[in-house]
Amino acid sequence: MKSIFGHLKTITKHKWVVFKLSIKAGIPIRGLLHDLSKYSPTEFFESIKYYQGGKRSPIPVAREEKGYSASWLHHKGRNKHHLEYWYDADAKELPIIPFKYMSEMVCDKIAAGIVYSGKSWSKEFPLEYWVSKERDKVLANQKMKNFLTEIFTEISKEGIDKVISKKHLKEVYDKSCK
């Protein structure tokens, strides 16, 4: 029972932080719709089983035990703000992801760090996490990787409030997509 309410609290807190960031980013509807699939039976029940006290995602724990995460497979296939949604093993080229989903992705990655790291979160966290755990491992169009790297670098220097705005995100996105 504790893991049910704990997980519910964690994902709801994550959605709330994403929503607040999405307002700053000028995409409030994306913030409202963000991660609704986490409440679906496929994602919710596996996440309860592997709940980590709100300090770590249950997805890697499921992978460690089972070799895969049904929750992640379900989630990435339904949420366009994940790089993995756009991956096609048979495609000749990885796509340019639309701006609204890249903006939501930025909000999502920042919010995940804030929720899982708690008081130890700093403005350097998104860049450090992106570079050490994701950038060179995920299959995505290099232009999308460049966009994320630039935004997270700016956040590490200037903070969220100076970087997260629709105008600024769009400028960096357009520059990255050239």
Side-chain angles (χ1 to χ4, degrees):
M1 198 57 125
K2 186 178 178 182
S3 62
I4 292 171
F5 291 110
H7 179 62
L8 192 58
K9 180 181 174 185
T10 301
I11 61 176
T12 303
K13 181 178 180 182
H14 172 75
K15 277 191 58 57
W16 177 244
V17 176
V18 170
F19 178 66
K20 291 191 300 184
L21 290 167
S22 294
I23 291 170
K24 292 176 84 46
I27 53 165
I29 300 302
R30 297 299 326 143
L32 280 173
L33 299 174
H34 181 79
D35 279 357
L36 289 176
S37 69
K38 286 188 176 184
Y39 299 94
S40 70
T42 301
E43 294 182 39
F44 194 77
F45 292 125
E46 182 178 82
S47 295
I48 289 168
K49 181 177 180 181
Y50 296 103
Y51 180 65
Q52 299 297 298
K55 302 295 181 197
R56 180 178 177 211
S57 170
I59 291 169
V61 183
R63 284 184 187 133
E64 289 164 12
E65 184 175 304
K66 299 187 321 183
Y68 71 97
S69 168
S71 176
W72 174 244
L73 294 172
H74 187 270
H75 188 74
K76 73 176 180 80
R78 283 155 184 81
N79 292 281
K80 295 179 182 181
H81 65 273
H82 287 286
L83 292 169
E84 297 84 355
Y85 176 92
W86 300 92
Y87 174 68
D88 178 353
D90 296 324
K92 293 180 181 171
E93 191 172 323
L94 296 166
I96 300 289
I97 300 168
F99 172 71
K100 66 182 176 181
Y101 301 120
M102 288 303 294
S103 295
E104 184 180 357
M105 185 184 309
V106 167
C107 297
D108 180 49
K109 289 179 180 299
I110 293 168
I114 289 169
V115 170
Y116 287 127
S117 8
K119 292 179 182 179
S120 68
W121 189 87
S122 69
K123 65 183 183 175
E124 294 81 18
F125 185 89
L127 179 63
E128 290 169 2
Y129 191 89
W130 168 246
V131 170
S132 69
K133 302 211 186 280
E134 295 181 317
R135 184 183 62 189
D136 298 330
K137 296 176 186 167
V138 71
L139 293 169
N141 186 297
Q142 188 60 46
K143 293 175 180 182
M144 303 297 89
K145 290 182 178 187
N146 293 345
F147 168 77
L148 292 171
T149 301
E150 184 166 343
I151 292 296
F152 294 148
T153 299
E154 289 179 356
I155 289 170
S156 74
K157 294 175 182 172
E158 301 176 42
I160 291 171
D161 291 335
K162 291 192 177 179
V163 178
I164 304 299
S165 72
K166 187 170 190 169
K167 181 182 177 196
H168 184 69
L169 289 169
K170 184 69 169 139
E171 287 170 359
V172 176
Y173 178 85
D174 289 345
K175 182 177 81 170
S176 298
C177 290
K178 285 184 182 176

